[in-house]
Amino acid sequence: EPSLLRSKFRGSLLGALIGDCTGSPYEGETITAGEKIIIQRYFDKLEEPNLNLKTPFRAYTDDTAMTKSVAKFLIDKPEPDYGFLARLFVNDYFKEPRRGYGQNVVDVFHKLKTSKFEDVFKPAAEQFMGSGSYGNGGAMRIAPIGLYYHNNYKIMIKVATQSTKITHTHLLGINGALLQCMAVQQALMLDPQKKLDPRHFCLELYLKMKEVEKTEEDGEDESDFTSRAYQEKLKVVERLLGKPHDDNLDDEVIRNLGHGISAYESVPTAIYCFLKTQNESCGIMTDNLLRRTIQYAITLGGDTDTIASMAGAIAGAYLGEDAVNSSIAKHCESYKEIAELADNLFEARGGSLVSE
Ligand code: F2R
Ligand code: MG
Ligand code: MG
Ligand code: MG
């Protein structure tokens, strides 16, 4: 049904925005039990409809800046043009460099600019002495690709891979972006009226990741952790989903899934945050499932803007715009522009569509 699909596009991009804007004040922090209460009050306050709009205005960070570029790349060009995407990233960075970009990705932007975008994949490949970045910067911006190519899995994987390689070429950086993309796409395809089966959702992702991580090399090295990293993580997600929520479980989540700046320590965590909060309160006092996902992600601490943004993108793709609290959205920078971008992405998807 097209109107539900449109609502899901909006839900996903607004979920990503809200997660980034509300999560960024806590980025890099360890969250204590006391701070969980403060975060609860912070969200309660954002939900008040008559709140002075000046007070809690929340700016977005690099996560949203780059997501906007990925959406524009899909909307403005009928065929993927990675030179165009690289220019969007770089122009945005030089226009607004103080959005909290990682220091290393900034080197890529400088190299792209000085090389006049001659080979848009070369600067990223040179990062970290040639091993490439495994940061979560590829995954944090991938949602528009999962939405736009939701009916064309093979092309989705290809475009997600290539667009990630402009900044991240380490296998863990690429596969983390692919996993986040698959999660958004899978959530989009589900009926929000039906009760979600978290472990089934996880198993489906596991099977897809197993396919992605299947290497073609002979004499496969079983001990090669990077080549099976995400399928192993998804097994941990599945195990943790089976346990009842309490503060100790949160600590176990942080220890076993992570809350760091690498894709490996954040994408499976974001997926877990979405899945865990759909049927359990997780200590968050709200009936709004999108808020619950985002607020829960922030209470885990660490890379809060990015994990909350990725979890919000998945939850929003499942729940649709109905789950977006408009008071919270209005406190986030550019929420109108993001809603429009979602609509334009929805309209543009036509060319890539086989059937609805
Ligand atoms: N950068 C941040 N937050 C840190 C501080 C921001 C500060 N508060 C401010 O306001 O300025 N947040 C944003 O960066 C993350 C996404 O990072 P991205 O785009 O992946 O960047 P990068 O530089 O490629 O990688 C991030 C770090 O990961 C480590 N790393 C990656 N690959 C590595 C490798 N092969 N070997 C060793 N280390 C590797 C490095 O420490 C990188 O700096 C998001 O959280 C976004 O919100
Ligand atoms: Mg950020
Ligand atoms: Mg291998
Ligand atoms: Mg971050």
Side-chain angles (χ1 to χ4, degrees):
E1 191 201 327
S3 70
L4 176 61
L5 199 59
R6 178 192 291 271
S7 158
K8 281 168 159 277
F9 273 54
R10 277 187 170 223
S12 182
L13 294 195
L14 287 170
L17 174 74
I18 295 168
D20 180 19
C21 292
T22 57
S24 69
Y26 298 94
E27 195 184 24
E29 295 201 14
T30 307
I31 306 296
T32 62
E35 272 151 340
K36 286 186 185 179
I37 297 168
I38 293 170
I39 293 169
Q40 173 72 32
R41 290 204 193 114
Y42 162 60
F43 272 87
D44 289 345
K45 199 171 173 211
L46 289 176
E47 273 189 355
E48 285 174 26
N50 299 320
L51 194 66
N52 177 0
L53 277 175
K54 265 194 208 155
T55 321
F57 172 78
R58 299 266 74 111
Y60 68 72
T61 75
D62 57 332
D63 305 55
T64 299
M66 297 189 86
T67 300
K68 282 167 68 180
S69 291
V70 171
K72 282 181 197 143
F73 148 80
L74 297 168
I75 293 163
D76 291 359
K77 300 271 172 177
E79 291 294 321
D81 178 345
Y82 300 102
F84 179 65
L85 180 58
R87 281 183 170 80
L88 290 174
F89 286 154
V90 169
N91 290 345
D92 249 34
Y93 167 72
F94 283 99
K95 234 192 286 168
E96 299 181 321
R98 300 178 65 150
R99 289 273 186 195
Y101 290 90
Q103 191 42 56
N104 292 285
V105 79
V106 166
D107 296 341
V108 175
F109 297 150
H110 279 274
K111 281 192 187 176
L112 283 167
K113 196 179 183 191
T114 40
S115 71
K116 298 199 166 66
F117 300 89
E118 197 194 344
D119 178 351
V120 291
F121 300 109
K122 193 165 169 246
E126 292 170 352
Q127 289 292 90
F128 299 98
M129 321 249 286
S131 65
S133 173
Y134 53 61
N136 55 22
M140 75 185 183
R141 65 180 190 238
I142 209 78
I145 295 176
L147 303 176
Y148 185 87
Y149 292 112
H150 68 275
N151 258 337
N152 208 329
Y153 185 80
K154 269 174 111 171
I155 296 182
M156 178 187 89
I157 297 294
K158 194 171 170 216
V159 177
T161 304
Q162 293 305 100
S163 69
T164 298
K165 281 184 174 174
I166 297 171
T167 50
H168 294 69
T169 64
H170 194 290
L171 194 61
L172 290 176
I174 296 169
N175 286 349
L178 291 181
L179 177 56
Q180 170 64 14
C181 191
M182 289 170 184
V184 168
Q185 187 268 353
Q186 228 175 260
L188 186 82
M189 303 309 270
L190 290 178
D191 181 352
Q193 307 291 350
K194 290 195 186 129
K195 191 173 151 81
L196 182 84
D197 182 343
R199 294 168 90 169
H200 184 258
F201 189 99
C202 190
L203 177 67
E204 270 190 62
L205 281 179
Y206 170 80
L207 294 173
K208 288 175 188 165
M209 214 57 225
K210 218 174 153 176
E211 200 55 40
V212 163
E213 291 182 329
K214 200 162 70 186
T215 55
E216 277 138 42
E217 308 147 29
D218 283 340
E220 180 154 354
D221 181 3
E222 286 293 329
S223 69
D224 184 7
F225 131 90
T226 41
S227 68
R228 299 168 54 87
Y230 288 101
Q231 44 187 301
E232 294 305 324
K233 278 276 192 187
L234 286 166
K235 284 189 200 162
V236 179
V237 170
E238 209 262 336
R239 182 170 63 74
L240 294 172
L241 285 171
K243 294 188 168 194
H245 175 267
D246 60 21
D247 287 348
N248 292 329
L249 184 62
D250 289 350
D251 291 339
E252 211 178 320
V253 169
I254 295 166
R255 272 198 316 276
N256 292 291
L257 295 179
H259 61 180
I261 206 167
S262 72
Y264 176 67
E265 293 169 313
S266 56
V267 176
T269 312
I271 291 167
Y272 175 82
C273 288
F274 161 61
L275 292 175
K276 193 68 176 172
T277 51
Q278 295 312 297
N279 301 320
E280 289 175 72
S281 77
C282 295
I284 312 291
M285 285 168 282
T286 178
D287 293 331
N288 181 317
L289 293 180
L290 181 63
R291 169 181 164 181
R292 191 194 280 168
T293 297
I294 289 170
Q295 190 180 327
Y296 177 65
I298 295 170
T299 63
L300 293 177
D303 194 0
T304 47
D305 63 335
T306 305
I307 297 173
S309 182
M310 294 191 295
I314 303 167
Y318 169 55
L319 299 164
E321 198 189 7
D322 289 353
V324 177
N325 178 289
S326 60
S327 298
I328 297 180
K330 279 177 192 157
H331 289 99
C332 297
E333 180 183 1
S334 298
Y335 82 95
K336 276 188 181 158
E337 191 195 330
I338 296 296
E340 253 170 56
L341 209 54
D343 289 347
N344 292 339
L345 192 66
F346 173 77
E347 300 298 341
R349 90 207 179 283
S352 67
L353 223 74
V354 184
S355 66
E356 196 84 75

